[in-house]
Amino acid sequence: MPHTPAALALRRATVATRRYVDRWGASARALDALAALSCFALMILDVPGLARADNSLTGFTATLVLAAGASSLLLRRRASWVPYLVALVLLGWLTELTMIQFALYSLGRFRGRWAGITGTAVYIATAYALFHLPGWPAFYGDRLSDFLSLVVPIGVLASGVGIAAYRQDLVCALQAQRAETAALQAVQDERTSVARDVHDLVGRELTVLAVRAEVLAVRARGDERQKEFEELADTARRAHHTLNETIVRRADGRSATPGLEGLAGLAEESGRMGTPVALAVAPGAAALSPLAQTAVYRVVQECLTNAAKHAPGLPVTVSIAVTGRHLRIEVRNPLPAAPPDRAPVSTGTGLYSMEERVTSLGGTLAARRLTDAYEVVALLPAGLPA
């Protein structure tokens, strides 16, 4: 069913609003200001009663005092004890219970469990002492049981919610760190794979170079160039030895990555798994360097794996073309009407690996979700004459 212009405009407005709210909500200062304003808005409801009480405050001065108290919540992240102490002062002076809820939440939220528990205990003890002093309002509890049923839940609930939020922050931070570590590990693994391919491909060329130089040295025996050929052969052997020392000893035994010749096998394997692949490779791509071909193989391999996870059974189109001095790899698969029955098992690092492989060769990679399909486009220097 086609989307009407009004529906599309509404969708764009909704997305823009959501992004704005997310950006605004991610600002610590904005959230602190919102907390201070919310606290002040709740406390200002008590101004008429404060003005009538025996505390020498008028409606105007009571508003100023409450505004000053609420503004201390702007320090709740850096100095959580400041709004807490201000809340205790307001509790003893004006019997104001709203501020203490925000202060105890902030203690648990930004200082953790023990700070929240300590703050709650001190608050209950202070309120209990004030309860036994003359002047405690009867509507806050004229009996000890009434007092406890009102004051204790306020502190425990506020502090408990703050502590829970603090623990949730720790969990989110740990998950983010774990995801970042996994991404870095994927990049490192891909660099190791690239290095292994460099060894397999460049090492062969160095061996050929050393052999050719030795042959030329034999042919030039007695000639002044014999020594130069021998030095060239020694240089090639040392370079090959250096590759062995730095790469081969760190390898894990995996074989070299195939090139374009392995794409047909990938497509066939994907078809056996239930995901048909339409593969189109331009004839000119066969002249690519071996490293570029391994990059093409890795990108297509990862894209087919992702398609099998997130859009099982749907056809995948793979196009490899040479445009000027660039090689264009385009992999596209339609989006499923509903998510898979089982959530796909994924580390979320495949894109990092593909991007690392492509950028290491001077190319670019872009993955995007279209209206009805998911598309990955990679551009590599072809190294061919235009």
Side-chain angles (χ1 to χ4, degrees):
M1 178 179 180
H3 296 287
T4 63
L8 292 175
L10 179 60
R11 182 178 179 182
R12 284 194 292 266
T14 303
V15 172
T17 303
R18 186 180 303 165
R19 290 176 179 173
Y20 175 79
V21 172
D22 290 341
R23 287 197 301 268
W24 190 85
S27 171
R29 293 183 178 179
L31 292 176
D32 292 343
L34 179 62
L37 289 174
S38 300
C39 180
F40 176 68
L42 293 174
M43 290 193 300
I44 204 172
L45 300 176
D46 296 334
V47 168
L50 295 177
R52 291 193 301 267
D54 184 17
N55 52 30
S56 71
L57 292 178
T58 64
F60 177 73
T61 55
T63 301
L64 293 180
V65 169
L66 296 180
S71 64
S72 66
L73 287 170
L74 297 174
L75 303 175
R76 65 188 190 132
R77 295 174 189 269
R78 293 171 295 172
S80 302
W81 292 103
V82 172
Y84 175 74
L85 295 175
V86 170
L88 291 181
V89 171
L90 292 180
L91 177 65
W93 180 19
L94 305 176
T95 323
E96 177 57 62
L97 294 177
T98 302
M99 179 72 185
I100 195 65
Q101 299 175 56
F102 284 82
L104 284 174
Y105 170 82
S106 300
L107 269 182
R109 175 73 169 76
F110 301 110
R111 290 297 177 266
R113 179 175 59 182
W114 291 112
I117 293 175
T118 302
T120 303
V122 173
Y123 152 69
I124 294 176
T126 302
Y128 181 76
L130 293 173
F131 172 77
H132 289 86
L133 295 178
W136 180 267
F139 58 84
Y140 279 156
D142 56 354
R143 294 180 302 175
L144 181 60
S145 58
D146 297 335
F147 163 80
L148 294 176
S149 65
L150 173 68
V151 173
V152 174
I154 287 177
V156 173
L157 180 61
S159 179
V161 173
I163 293 172
Y166 176 80
R167 293 175 64 85
Q168 181 64 25
D169 281 349
L170 292 180
V171 171
C172 292
L174 181 60
Q175 291 175 341
Q177 184 179 14
R178 185 177 300 171
E180 182 179 359
T181 301
L184 292 176
Q185 184 61 45
V187 171
Q188 185 61 39
D189 291 343
E190 193 62 28
R191 288 177 178 175
T192 302
S193 178
V194 172
R196 188 180 298 109
D197 292 336
V198 168
H199 169 267
D200 295 336
L201 300 169
V202 178
R204 176 181 176 278
E205 301 300 326
L206 288 174
T207 301
V208 173
L209 177 61
V211 173
R212 291 286 297 167
E214 290 173 353
V215 171
L216 292 174
V218 171
R219 292 179 179 177
R221 183 172 298 171
D223 192 288
E224 59 182 7
R225 293 177 297 178
Q226 178 183 356
K227 184 177 181 180
E228 296 178 359
F229 287 134
E230 291 175 347
E231 291 176 350
L232 180 60
D234 290 339
T235 300
R237 282 192 293 269
R238 287 196 301 271
H240 198 185
H241 178 73
T242 301
L243 278 177
N244 287 334
E245 289 293 320
T246 57
I247 297 178
V248 174
R249 291 189 178 183
R250 300 181 185 181
D252 57 7
R254 290 187 294 176
S255 59
T257 305
L260 294 182
E261 74 281 358
L263 294 180
L266 272 182
E268 183 180 352
E269 180 183 6
S270 180
R272 290 197 301 267
M273 295 171 58
T275 301
V277 177
L279 177 64
V281 182
L288 289 171
S289 67
L291 280 179
Q293 291 194 33
T294 59
V296 173
Y297 181 90
R298 284 296 191 196
V299 170
V300 174
Q301 182 184 46
E302 184 62 34
C303 289
L304 294 182
T305 300
N306 289 339
K309 290 179 181 178
H310 302 284
L314 297 181
V316 181
T317 302
V318 179
S319 173
I320 301 172
V322 178
T323 57
R325 296 182 179 274
H326 290 87
L327 176 77
R328 178 183 173 89
I329 310 164
E330 181 178 314
V331 183
R332 177 181 295 194
N333 62 270
L335 298 176
D341 295 335
R342 293 185 178 181
V345 178
S346 175
T347 60
T349 59
L351 186 60
Y352 291 102
S353 300
M354 286 193 294
E355 188 173 8
E356 175 65 22
R357 169 76 68 158
V358 171
T359 55
S360 68
L361 297 178
T364 60
L365 184 139
R368 58 178 180 169
R369 183 187 182 96
L370 305 176
T371 304
D372 56 353
Y374 189 80
E375 179 185 71
V376 176
V377 177
L379 291 178
L380 286 171
L384 303 173

